[in-house]
Every structure is written in structure tokens, then in C-alpha cells.
Amino acid sequence: MSVAHRPSDEALAAFATGQLDEGLALVVATHLEVDAESRRRLRDLQSVQGALLDASAPVAMQVRASDLLAGDVLTHGIGEPLPAAAAPEAGLPRVLRPYALGPWRPIGIRIAMRRVEVPGAEARVFLLRAGPGVALPHHKHSGLEWTTILSGAYEHEYGRYAAGDFDEADAEHVHTPRVDAVEGCICIAAVTGHVLFQGWLGRLLQPLVRL
Amino acid sequence: MQRGPFVPLFDHNALIVAIARSADREAFARLFDHFAPRVKGLLMKAGTSAELAEEVAQETLLAVWRKAAMFDPAKASAGTWIATIARNLRIDIARRETRSRLSQVYEILDEDGPEQPDAAVSGAERDVRIRAAMTELSPDQYRVVELAFLEGLSHQDVARRLAIPLGTVKSRLRLAMSHLRGKLEDLR
């Protein structure tokens, strides 16, 4: 897999700090799962975080180490455990395992989508599958639309996006994606905002998924 | 901003290994005394309440005790490992009500990303070099790195917080990152 498009430093830093919206974070994670170079950049950021932690100013704790190891505190966990993740589906990114997926639904000629349920996320997340040569309508964004290509490819004004690539579009982008004529394309996308017709995916899916 | 000295990395690494080997409570106390007040301090600086920051700091150190056997000193130093634990716990606690699965996503990514054969060696070496390189950042650069990469502020929010132009934030971060990455070049 030869990756040509990666998350910006800003996007990766937001991911590294855990501040990114969970839906957007999931699309970044899908890219990280397959791209060693982005994982190296992430580790660099984590290393910076570790250094900053070591050098930071301490604030006195209420408890001492001995308090913490005494009594039943060791069996105390954080909240209730989450329900067990569904069995992983073959061919899907591993980072999707904790999430429930809807069924594939046709949303047009040779286009189908399935929801990725991310409770509490601002972004809506979905997998999209389009047949070879499918052209998507020319459109603008009003929110963010982050995409990781899982297989196949598409092409638009900003370049060709193939398996593993990360496409970080925002309100500045206007594009007309065309799916690879031979391979088709499967991707995962997260779209933010509550405005109608906010992106090529949003525009296409809006009537069906009530974006 | 208070900026303390970097503590020798391998001392802390050895403490975690001692916990893993023999449930060493003395080693735990030393780790706790160094890291818990710093996790708490950083969270409070990022706007977390003292109460919640205390809770995350406690849970972070308890996780260090429980997961000590999973610590791999070749992969990352104690500080880096503990910072990622604190990050995941903060997500779990902050998003408790929405049942976030995000910390599981970080764990899946961490499990076994296909590494280069030499990555285990370069992981620890990377931490050493990044710390050295960070002592060479200007105070201005250090501050934007701290806000962007630790507190997770957007560039826009960093500009607002420091009352400096957005372009200045971006150029300081770019310079800082290129300085840090320059120090890692031959590890690639």
C-alpha cells in the first residue's frame, strides 16, 4: 500500500491528545491502522507528551501511594465495563471492532452505505461502497468531511486517493469525486455539521440518513 | 510556566519493571510521587476540575500498577507510557456518559501495529532524543507545543489563548516539529 495523503499535524495532534471528536478520530484511526509512517508521527507526538508530562509542574495529591494500594481500591475500576464488542467482521478495519455497524443499504445506482454507530460523536460515520466509474455530484462543504480509503480509489480536484489514503476536506474545498474505473471504491467517512447539503457524501446520503 | 528538569528516563523504567516482577510497593510509591502530581497538574492546567484531575491521576497510577507487566521499556519510556494511559483514562472519564469507545480504539492501534524490525530499539531512543531536543526549544515554541500537543488545542485556540496571530502559532509549531523530527532522522 503506497500512501500519498496523510492527516495534517493538527489533525494528528488532536487525535494524539484524545480531543478529537470520536467520529473524526475513528477515521484517523482507520488510516493509522494501515500506515506505518503516520503511526511513527503519532508516536513522536506521544513521546513529546511524555516529555511534557515529566517536565510539568506537580500539584499535590489528596491521597498517598500507600492509601491507593491499601484496601479494596485495587479492585475499583472506571465505571461499568462496556458491552463486549461484536465479533470482528473479516475485511473490516480492526479499530471498528468496538462499534456496531448497520447493514449495507443501497442509496443510489451502484452506491451503498452502512452506518457506523458512534454514540456521542458529533460527526456521523459511515462506510461507503461505490462501483467502478461512479461520479459523485459537484459540491461544497460547510463542515468537515474526513475520509480514509479502505480499498479501490477515487480522484478529485485535489488528487487521487487510493487504499490507505486520508482525505481531509473542510469548508474550503469544492470537489467532484470520480470513483476508479476499474476497482471501484470502499471508504469510511466522518461528516460534521448539521447543515443540509454539506458535502458530497452528506448531499448524497442526506435523505436517507437524516444528516 | 514552570519547566522542571527532565528526570533520567531509565530510573522510572526500572521502577515499572520492579512492579511487574515483584509487586514492589516502594517502586510504586516513587512512581506515584513523581507522576501522579504531574498528571493532576497538567489536567488542571487544561481546565479539568481539581477533583476530576485527582481521580484521573489516581486511576492512572493504579493502571500502572495493574498493567506493569505489559510495559515494554524498549518501546517507550515510563513517561510516554504513563501519558498515554492518562490520556485514555481522561477520555473514559470525560465521556463516561456517552459510553465512548475511543480508548479501546487507541488500545487496538497500540496492540500490534506492524512495526519495522528496528522499531523496538528506536522507541526508547526516540524518547531520549525528543527530550533532549525539547530542552533546545525556545520558551515561545515550548509553550505552543505544550498547548497544541498536550492540551490538544486547535491552532486557532492556541492563538486565542496566547493572544498572538494564527500565522505565528503555525510557524512556531512548524519550526518546533521540524527541530524535533530533525533529531530523529537517522532513526527512520
Side-chain angles (χ1 to χ4, degrees):
Chain A
M1 187 175 301
S2 156
V3 169
H5 304 276
R6 300 195 159 88
S8 63
D9 275 338
E10 189 170 12
L12 206 56
F15 179 83
T17 57
Q19 301 289 5
L20 204 53
D21 174 79
E22 188 169 352
L24 297 172
L26 193 50
V27 175
V28 175
T30 310
H31 163 78
L32 284 162
E33 184 175 322
V34 296
D35 184 47
E37 171 59 22
S38 285
R39 276 203 306 282
R40 268 196 294 274
R41 286 172 55 205
L42 176 67
R43 302 236 158 97
D44 290 349
L45 291 173
Q46 288 173 337
S47 184
V48 169
Q49 291 173 340
L52 290 165
L53 174 66
D54 251 352
S56 67
V59 169
M61 293 288 292
Q62 302 290 315
V63 304
R64 290 170 303 161
S66 52
D67 301 332
L68 216 51
L69 293 187
D72 61 357
V73 71
L74 276 178
T75 59
H76 166 75
I78 301 222
E80 305 263 309
L82 285 165
E89 281 183 51
L92 283 181
R94 289 152 25 91
V95 293
L96 292 185
R97 282 180 195 172
Y99 299 89
L101 298 175
W104 280 110
R105 289 192 302 172
I107 56 164
I109 298 168
R110 296 193 297 144
I111 301 179
M113 64 86 73
R114 64 192 298 194
R115 283 296 290 262
V116 180
E117 302 297 339
V118 187
E122 184 199 345
R124 276 85 53 207
V125 186
F126 42 88
L127 295 160
L128 193 78
R129 186 178 66 202
V134 166
L136 296 151
H138 184 74
H139 63 276
K140 280 189 197 180
H141 300 275
S142 69
L144 298 175
E145 181 180 273
W146 291 5
T147 309
T148 292
I149 310 343
L150 302 178
S151 67
Y154 64 73
E155 209 171 289
H156 57 53
E157 287 82 343
Y158 300 89
R160 178 181 161 85
Y161 292 76
D165 277 335
F166 182 80
D167 188 358
E168 191 173 329
D170 61 26
E172 305 295 307
H173 294 75
V174 180
H175 57 199
T176 315
R178 180 175 289 276
V179 172
D180 184 90
V182 177
E183 297 177 87
C185 185
I186 301 177
C187 59
I188 180 170
V191 177
T192 65
H194 299 283
V195 189
L196 298 180
F197 307 121
Q198 63 179 349
W200 66 273
L201 293 169
R203 184 174 186 137
L204 200 66
L205 306 176
Q206 200 267 319
L208 292 123
V209 296
R210 273 173 271 146
L211 286 177
Chain B
M1 177 193 63
Q2 186 175 337
R3 185 168 160 184
F6 291 117
V7 176
L9 294 175
F10 301 110
D11 296 359
H12 288 147
N13 293 1
L15 294 175
I16 301 177
V17 171
I19 293 171
R21 286 211 183 117
S22 57
D24 186 331
R25 284 169 177 257
E26 175 58 28
F28 179 77
R30 287 177 57 198
L31 275 176
F32 181 94
D33 290 345
H34 180 73
F35 284 108
R38 286 174 170 78
V39 170
K40 183 175 177 179
L42 283 176
L43 289 169
M44 287 176 65
K45 206 153 77 173
T48 306
S49 71
E51 191 187 4
L52 188 56
E54 167 88 18
E55 186 184 357
V56 176
Q58 287 183 27
E59 292 292 347
T60 299
L61 271 294
L62 278 176
V64 169
W65 174 266
R66 292 195 198 101
K67 296 181 176 182
M70 291 162 62
F71 173 65
D72 180 357
K75 204 172 156 193
S77 67
T80 298
W81 189 61
I82 291 172
T84 59
I85 290 175
R87 188 262 324 269
N88 288 0
L89 288 173
R90 193 191 56 197
I91 290 170
D92 283 344
I93 291 175
R95 305 189 189 186
R96 200 178 266 160
E97 264 142 47
T98 57
R99 317 285 282 167
S100 169
R101 285 153 172 81
L102 194 49
S103 60
Q104 288 173 263
V105 170
Y106 289 100
E107 278 163 21
I108 290 169
L109 277 180
D110 217 34
E111 269 166 26
D112 61 355
E115 294 278 2
Q116 306 303 319
D118 62 344
V121 179
S122 66
E125 178 69 15
R126 176 187 53 224
D127 277 357
V128 172
R129 293 204 197 179
I130 280 194
R131 276 156 212 246
M134 285 183 65
T135 63
E136 296 162 9
L137 296 180
S138 73
D140 284 345
Q141 286 173 346
Y142 193 96
R143 185 66 183 137
V144 293
V145 166
E146 195 176 36
L147 290 173
F149 297 161
L150 196 68
E151 298 187 19
L153 298 187
S154 69
H155 295 178
Q156 191 70 60
D157 287 340
V158 174
R160 217 169 283 139
R161 176 87 69 92
L162 298 177
I164 55 176
L166 180 61
T168 308
V169 171
K170 288 183 184 294
S171 66
R172 279 183 194 165
L173 275 173
R174 207 163 35 234
L175 282 171
M177 283 315 284
S178 101
H179 176 67
L180 297 178
R181 290 197 175 119
K183 299 286 179 182
L184 299 170
E185 276 306 309
D186 60 315
L187 291 180
R188 300 294 189 221

